[in-house]
Amino acid sequence: MKEHERATTRRRLMRWGGVVGAICLAGCAGTTDETETGDTEMTTEIDTDAPFRAMLVVDDDHVLFTAVEIAAVGPVSESERTGISMPIELTDAGTQSVTDTAAEVGLRENYQAAEISLDLDGETVSSFGIAESLAEAWAAGEWNGPLVVTFADREGAETVRDRLVEEGST
């Protein structure tokens, strides 16, 4: 394994390790669940031109991150605990965008009235609330980039993943 690959692997391990204990996203935990095939691999081949954005809705809409700020996407999975979900890891710029936005809107105090909306092609494909622990971490700037997003149906989740992952990637 090359040194830069080892550093990337360590960085991912640290990011995901931090999420296991502290970050929860309304009905989602920051760990990945295996799909029926046992696949838990994250792909870093992201289509940065995909018309995707995650919005923080608190009184007004605020862009949290776009496809450009996604570093990796995991497989769609389903479990009793999280329902249908997909892990996403953000770039450093994406992480900064999320924490800056959370601080700007006072998310720590307003998390119960806030929701995250995932938009693809200008249409909302999923929306969900925010756990207090996640809102606190975002607002304090203590969050480091990975999250698990939820969907009402597997087809919607697969559509989002397919659009985010570059053609020819797994």
Side-chain angles (χ1 to χ4, degrees):
M1 182 179 290
K2 296 178 184 168
E3 185 59 35
H4 76 280
E5 291 171 335
R6 196 170 309 148
T8 300
T9 301
R10 268 189 244 122
R11 183 173 134 202
R12 266 205 197 118
L13 179 62
M14 292 302 292
R15 282 188 174 186
W16 282 105
V19 104
V20 170
I23 308 297
C24 288
L25 187 62
C28 297
T31 60
T32 59
D33 293 311
E34 291 189 7
T35 60
E36 287 130 19
T37 62
D39 182 16
T40 59
E41 282 295 310
M42 300 284 283
T43 182
T44 58
E45 302 297 321
I46 305 301
D47 179 358
T48 57
D49 292 326
F52 173 86
R53 65 184 184 167
M55 306 294 292
L56 177 62
V57 182
V58 183
D59 297 324
D60 292 318
D61 293 352
H62 308 272
V63 176
L64 285 172
F65 60 90
T66 65
V68 171
E69 296 158 321
I70 296 175
V73 175
V76 172
S77 64
E78 187 169 355
S79 74
E80 286 184 30
R81 187 180 61 162
T82 61
I84 300 165
S85 63
M86 178 179 68
I88 293 177
E89 182 179 322
L90 299 183
T91 62
D92 291 340
T95 300
Q96 190 66 51
S97 175
V98 168
T99 57
D100 287 351
T101 301
E104 287 171 19
V105 302
L107 187 61
R108 184 178 305 181
E109 296 81 24
N110 298 318
Y111 77 92
Q112 291 175 318
E115 78 174 12
I116 295 173
S117 172
L118 304 180
D119 299 344
L120 183 66
D121 291 322
E123 299 291 324
T124 299
V125 293
S126 183
S127 61
F128 41 87
I130 304 169
E132 181 178 14
S133 60
L134 181 61
E136 178 72 28
W138 281 6
E142 297 171 354
W143 181 68
N144 58 4
L147 59 112
V148 178
V149 294
T150 61
F151 296 87
D153 62 82
R154 189 170 197 88
E155 181 180 345
E158 293 287 356
T159 298
V160 170
R161 187 180 192 287
D162 290 347
R163 295 290 297 278
L164 287 174
V165 175
E166 284 187 353
E167 202 169 307
S169 299
T170 55

